[in-house]
Amino acid sequence: MPELVFFSGTMDCGKSTLALQIGHNRSARGLQGVIFTRDDRAGEGKLSSRLGLVTEAVEAAPGMDLYGYLVGQMSQGGRVDYVIVDEAQFLAPEQIDQLARVVDDLDMDVFAFGITTDFRTKLFPGSQRLIELADRVETLQVEAMCWCGARATHNARTVAGEMVVEGEQVVVGDVDRPAEEVGYEVLCRRHHRKKLTSDAARATALSPDVLPVTAG
């Protein structure tokens, strides 16, 4: 039976890599799919992995009817056997409903990949709707790591190297952006609560206030 599957995890845990692998495996068997993405780090209409792999995709713009797009492709003679959606957290809830309809009415698998919560630890609306509707929710087994070595469970946004907890929910960035730009870092819950990023931890370790004092 066709399924709507939501693969979730923090940033830097291999979601896009798995999406590319699923597409590769199916295309190697002669199947043809459509890849949707939104605000990928490589630019509009791209699905990219941090390992350097990139493929063409359809930009799922706000307000786009994903079900209608697929029906249009098929009515023009195009073949669609499966659908992959990367950065699914950025989709509107109604677009997630459209993906569920693709599974139910068009009888094809939909594989959605996304982050569950934002930098404030709040659910993305798209991810919330996927959790509500998906046939399966899979947590990726490749664990991202906090700077302390613990399993990373939260996404932190940084501006000028400092963690922030206010601002627009969607601001495109990545984990390897220069410190002066908007960037992201994955942290364990303890250090996310303390707003202690790797840069902040290094600064604390180098501070004279915490260095041992030798008696004169």
Side-chain angles (χ1 to χ4, degrees):
M1 291 289 292
E3 290 184 307
L4 172 59
V5 186
F6 179 34
F7 294 92
S8 68
T10 62
M11 300 181 72
D12 211 20
C13 73
K15 297 183 300 301
S16 298
T17 301
L18 179 57
L20 288 163
Q21 185 67 55
I22 287 177
H24 170 76
N25 290 351
R26 279 159 177 72
S27 64
R29 299 295 181 268
L31 301 177
Q32 297 181 28
V34 169
I35 300 175
F36 291 111
T37 190
R38 169 82 66 80
D39 294 334
D40 187 272
R41 66 184 72 86
E44 184 173 325
K46 303 288 184 182
L47 167 56
S48 68
S49 163
R50 291 189 180 86
L51 298 182
L53 304 173
V54 183
T55 192
E56 297 296 321
V58 177
E59 188 75 12
M64 180 180 181
D65 184 342
L66 306 184
Y67 177 87
Y69 176 88
L70 294 169
V71 169
Q73 293 293 108
M74 297 169 69
S75 65
Q76 296 175 23
R79 177 181 168 186
V80 184
D81 298 307
Y82 63 92
V83 176
I84 290 174
V85 186
D86 199 29
E87 307 293 358
Q89 72 273 5
F90 295 147
L91 299 184
E94 55 268 26
Q95 290 176 310
I96 304 302
D97 289 346
Q98 294 159 12
L99 295 176
R101 188 181 177 192
V102 168
V103 176
D104 297 339
D105 294 357
L106 302 183
D107 291 323
M108 64 181 70
D109 288 314
V110 174
F111 306 101
F113 298 81
I115 298 168
T116 307
T117 58
D118 64 16
F119 69 105
R120 302 165 299 183
T121 72
K122 304 297 184 182
L123 283 170
F124 282 100
S127 298
Q128 178 178 334
R129 193 62 178 143
L130 274 165
I131 292 170
E132 293 166 348
L133 292 183
D135 297 292
R136 285 190 291 128
V137 177
E138 300 280 354
T139 301
L140 268 66
Q141 297 305 306
V142 177
E143 295 182 349
M145 296 179 66
C146 178
W147 60 264
C148 69
R151 176 173 175 261
T153 54
H154 292 65
N155 304 293
R157 178 183 294 171
T158 59
V159 177
E162 295 186 4
M163 180 175 161
V164 296
V165 293
E166 296 182 354
E168 295 292 328
Q169 186 175 52
V170 179
V171 176
V172 178
D174 207 348
V175 294
D176 55 0
R177 292 291 177 90
E180 65 272 12
E181 299 181 10
V182 173
Y184 290 89
E185 182 176 349
V186 289
L187 300 173
C188 64
R189 183 181 63 236
R190 178 164 63 110
H191 288 130
H192 190 280
R193 285 178 46 246
K194 294 182 176 180
K195 301 181 185 178
L196 196 58
T197 64
S198 57
D199 283 347
R202 281 194 295 269
T204 299
L206 294 173
S207 171
D209 294 335
V210 297
L211 293 176
V213 177
T214 302

